[in-house]
Amino acid sequence: MSGGRLVVLLSLGLLCLSLSRGVSAQTDEEEDILDPNDVDIEDEDLDLAPDQDLDQDEEEPGPTETKAPPVPKVTYKAPEPRGEHYFAESFDRDTLDGWVMSIAKKEDTDEDIAKYDGKWAVEEMRDSKLPGDKGLVLKSRAKHHAISAQLLRPFAFTTKPLIVQYEVNFQSGIDCGGAYVKLLTQTPDLDLAQFVDKTPYTIMFGPDKCGEDYKLHFIFRHKNPKTGEVEEKHAKKPDADLRTYYTDKKTHLYTLVLNPDNSFEVLVDQTVVNSGNLLTDMTPAPEDWDERAKVQDPDAAKDEDAPAQIADEAAVKPEGWLDDEPEYIGDPDALKPDDWDEDMDGEWEAPQVPNPKCESAPGCGEWKRPMVDNPNYKGKWKPPMIDNPNYQGVWKPRKIPNPAFFEDLQPFRMSAFNAVGLELWSMTSDIFFDNFFITDDRNTADRWATEGWALKKSAESAAEPGLATQMLSAAEERPWLWVVYVLTVALPVVLIIVFCLFLGGIFPTRKTRRFDSVNSAPLSAHSTFAVL
């Protein structure tokens, strides 16, 4: 026996011994009390009143009912914007006052789906854990949605950071659609009622998903001061796995932080999932740029397909095989029904039955060799990979002499914006948005998140099932987990019980006393041992 196992067994032994001695002490105290059935006592020796009787049952108070402590409830209180901020919206006024729904049409789109006629509503989250907490809900599927609101005042990129944060809950999951926000560029002709996909924006930020492509956009638009052309710059893809945020149907807090030193951070639930520099970590790669180092060889000829199975050439036809006998024959005892009409029903044929001659033979009919796996089978053919003749390397921006060339070392100084909007298409409805906040002070943003999202997170966590419930639910979906539970939980418990019983057969468990019925003196005291 190894030293580690010996230590474990000694520990279990001490535990069981302490439990057994504790039970023994309690048993000793109970049995030291005089049992009236074993002692002869006269009524007058007890000085009882005449109306009292030794056999009279004494009334005992009923057991006190114990109530389980109530489950703590999280009470909702709308967050209050404090400190310097440019926009704050919690929708707890139960109104869309201040928000403008677009009445425009999308260009270059079929007339049937061109309108921005998707429905919006202010309502509580489905299965809300915080009664009274309301949010903005995208209600329609397969429609264009656009809604926006003015900031308290325009945000100008000067010497203070920009913090944008808001909450999203995919109540029905998400198949294909976005939940990102756009910070609309301040322009003289900005009309929120005509908000469309081509409305100029300074920043686009937030989650987007289609199929198995999980994205968290951070895009900013940069204007060339010489040519006036605008290009989009995309942040590199986060290294973190984003799948859970789209599938767990929980409320998540999305935060974007831009600093005057050109650094940026993207956070989910106040945890950084992406960060970098506006100068070095944005990728404005052209759409036609080819970064594939290897491609499939278009001139590769497909090998002759070898079948997965071939006839076993080593097989020999069993002796006695009846080649000329069919496996089934017409039932010789069958009779044509009296009402059979050959003009209507065709020529009558007796139903097929197994050929009785084949019962004693190894087989009937044409003999064929059995099929076996082909050792030359290569599987599904794929063309080999070759060097891509169009490979241009991993794209990165380069400086070339041209009349429009400029070098902007302060990309943080973007175009000012004065409105926030949601311009979305989704194949899934009931996307819940809440607690939009735009500020230039990180502490103010954190305080708003604590009063809003953190409270919601606490309520959702309190409503989650316990570990045992989660284990049972998981076992219902994956029955093989019951084997794991038995091996990891039940088996050790059984072993501990058996080990304790084994110790109980060695150590004394209790003492008993007997009393003389005349003078109530103890006759003897002896120890008894538990026997397995």
Side-chain angles (χ1 to χ4, degrees):
M1 181 182 296
S2 64
R5 294 184 178 178
L6 180 60
V7 171
V8 172
L9 289 175
L10 289 175
S11 301
L12 290 174
L14 291 174
L15 174 62
C16 295
L17 180 59
S18 61
L19 291 175
S20 62
R21 288 186 175 178
V23 173
S24 300
Q26 183 178 359
T27 308
D28 291 343
E29 293 178 0
E30 292 176 352
E31 294 187 352
D32 282 345
I33 299 174
L34 184 63
D35 187 349
N37 295 326
D38 293 339
V39 182
D40 295 330
I41 302 175
E42 297 294 337
D43 288 349
E44 59 268 24
D45 294 338
L46 296 176
D47 295 330
L48 295 176
D51 56 346
Q52 287 181 306
D53 189 352
L54 182 64
D55 296 330
Q56 183 178 350
D57 295 334
E58 296 182 1
E59 295 184 1
E60 298 183 357
T64 305
E65 295 184 1
T66 58
K67 295 183 179 179
V71 178
K73 293 183 179 180
V74 181
T75 304
Y76 177 70
K77 181 181 179 182
E80 297 181 4
R82 291 188 290 269
E84 186 72 15
H85 65 280
Y86 294 79
F87 188 78
E89 177 63 85
S90 66
F91 300 100
D92 292 315
R93 296 171 297 163
D94 198 13
T95 177
L96 281 175
D97 288 349
W99 290 81
V100 179
M101 283 185 278
S102 177
I103 56 174
K105 289 185 179 180
K106 192 170 185 177
E107 298 179 6
D108 305 325
T109 306
D110 292 341
E111 183 69 22
D112 294 340
I113 60 173
K115 291 183 179 180
Y116 282 88
D117 55 354
K119 303 300 181 184
W120 298 92
V122 175
E123 59 188 28
E124 290 188 9
M125 193 188 308
R126 238 177 20 212
D127 302 325
S128 175
K129 307 301 185 296
L130 282 177
D133 177 25
K134 298 184 183 297
L136 177 65
V137 182
L138 180 149
K139 298 295 293 181
S140 312
R141 60 183 301 274
K143 288 184 177 292
H144 292 289
H145 302 74
I147 191 170
S148 55
Q150 290 278 354
L151 271 59
L152 298 176
R153 59 191 179 283
F155 184 93
F157 294 86
T158 54
T159 60
K160 292 186 176 182
L162 167 68
I163 299 98
V164 181
Q165 68 183 26
Y166 68 106
E167 301 169 11
V168 179
N169 187 307
F170 296 109
Q171 301 182 89
S172 302
I174 182 71
D175 295 322
C176 185
Y180 43 78
V181 298
K182 291 182 176 180
L183 307 181
L184 305 183
T185 305
Q186 183 183 20
T187 58
D189 58 348
L190 178 60
D191 182 0
L192 299 186
Q194 297 298 317
F195 177 29
V196 294
D197 59 322
K198 295 183 179 179
T199 299
Y201 66 87
T202 300
I203 290 174
M204 189 175 95
F205 167 65
D208 188 14
K209 173 189 178 290
C210 200
E212 291 301 310
D213 190 10
Y214 299 86
K215 298 179 180 178
L216 183 51
H217 293 296
F218 165 39
I219 306 170
F220 77 88
R221 288 161 57 95
H222 192 275
K223 185 176 181 180
N224 188 314
K226 292 187 176 181
T227 65
E229 294 181 357
V230 177
E231 66 176 0
E232 293 182 353
K233 295 182 179 291
H234 297 244
K236 60 185 176 66
K237 189 174 181 180
D239 295 330
D241 185 4
L242 306 175
R243 184 187 306 267
T244 302
Y245 305 128
Y246 299 81
T247 58
D248 61 5
K249 297 183 181 180
K250 293 183 180 180
T251 303
H252 295 289
L253 178 69
Y254 295 88
T255 306
L256 171 66
V257 180
L258 300 184
N259 297 303
D261 64 358
N262 296 322
S263 63
F264 72 86
E265 288 182 330
V266 175
L267 302 91
V268 181
D269 298 345
Q270 298 184 316
T271 299
V272 176
V273 297
N274 199 5
S275 62
N277 188 282
L278 298 176
L279 278 170
T280 59
D281 296 304
M282 308 300 287
T283 56
E287 293 182 0
D288 58 350
W289 191 270
D290 197 340
E291 293 184 345
R292 298 173 300 165
K294 296 280 187 179
V295 294
Q296 291 182 345
D297 185 356
D299 299 326
K302 185 176 181 180
D303 294 340
E304 291 296 328
D305 281 340
Q309 289 193 320
I310 56 175
D312 185 2
E313 296 297 334
V316 178
K317 182 172 67 175
E319 186 177 352
W321 189 279
L322 303 178
D323 296 271
D324 300 329
E325 289 291 337
E327 190 174 355
Y328 291 90
I329 61 173
D331 186 357
D333 298 328
L335 299 176
K336 182 172 70 174
D338 295 335
D339 57 351
W340 187 273
D341 188 341
E342 293 192 355
D343 294 334
M344 297 290 295
D345 303 324
E347 183 180 357
W348 180 82
E349 294 181 357
Q352 297 289 300
V353 295
N355 188 343
K357 295 181 180 180
C358 298
E359 293 180 0
S360 58
C364 293
E366 182 184 359
W367 180 80
K368 294 181 180 179
R369 286 186 171 85
M371 302 299 288
V372 295
D373 291 338
N374 184 359
N376 298 320
Y377 178 62
K378 300 179 181 179
K380 185 178 180 181
W381 181 84
K382 294 181 180 179
M385 302 297 288
I386 60 172
D387 291 336
N388 182 4
N390 299 319
Y391 179 58
Q392 297 169 265
V394 176
W395 189 92
K396 50 186 172 182
R398 62 185 180 273
K399 299 180 179 69
I400 58 173
N402 72 82
F405 171 74
F406 75 98
E407 188 176 22
D408 183 5
L409 298 179
Q410 291 295 327
F412 172 78
R413 297 184 182 275
M414 305 175 194
S415 301
F417 63 91
N418 65 339
V420 58
L422 298 166
E423 188 270 318
L424 306 169
W425 166 276
S426 176
M427 292 302 295
T428 309
S429 61
D430 296 315
I431 302 176
F432 185 94
F433 300 88
D434 202 3
N435 293 332
F436 291 88
F437 199 70
I438 300 175
T439 182
D440 58 16
D441 183 75
R442 189 70 174 266
N443 293 330
T444 302
D446 290 342
R447 186 185 304 115
W448 174 269
T450 300
E451 296 181 1
W453 170 78
L455 189 67
K456 199 170 300 183
K457 180 184 178 184
S458 298
E460 290 177 347
S461 299
E464 287 183 349
L467 178 60
T469 304
Q470 295 181 33
M471 292 174 65
L472 291 175
S473 300
E476 290 179 359
E477 299 177 2
R478 307 173 184 85
W480 54 268
L481 284 176
W482 287 112
V483 178
V484 178
Y485 295 164
V486 170
L487 293 177
T488 58
V489 179
L491 184 59
V493 171
V494 171
L495 292 176
I496 291 174
I497 293 174
V498 171
F499 192 78
C500 291
L501 291 174
F502 171 74
L503 290 180
I506 299 175
F507 297 101
T509 59
R510 64 170 185 164
K511 295 181 179 180
T512 60
R513 291 189 179 183
R514 297 187 58 82
F515 290 84
D516 185 88
S517 60
V518 177
N519 54 19
S520 301
L523 293 177
S524 62
H526 62 275
S527 299
T528 61
F529 292 83
V531 180
L532 291 176

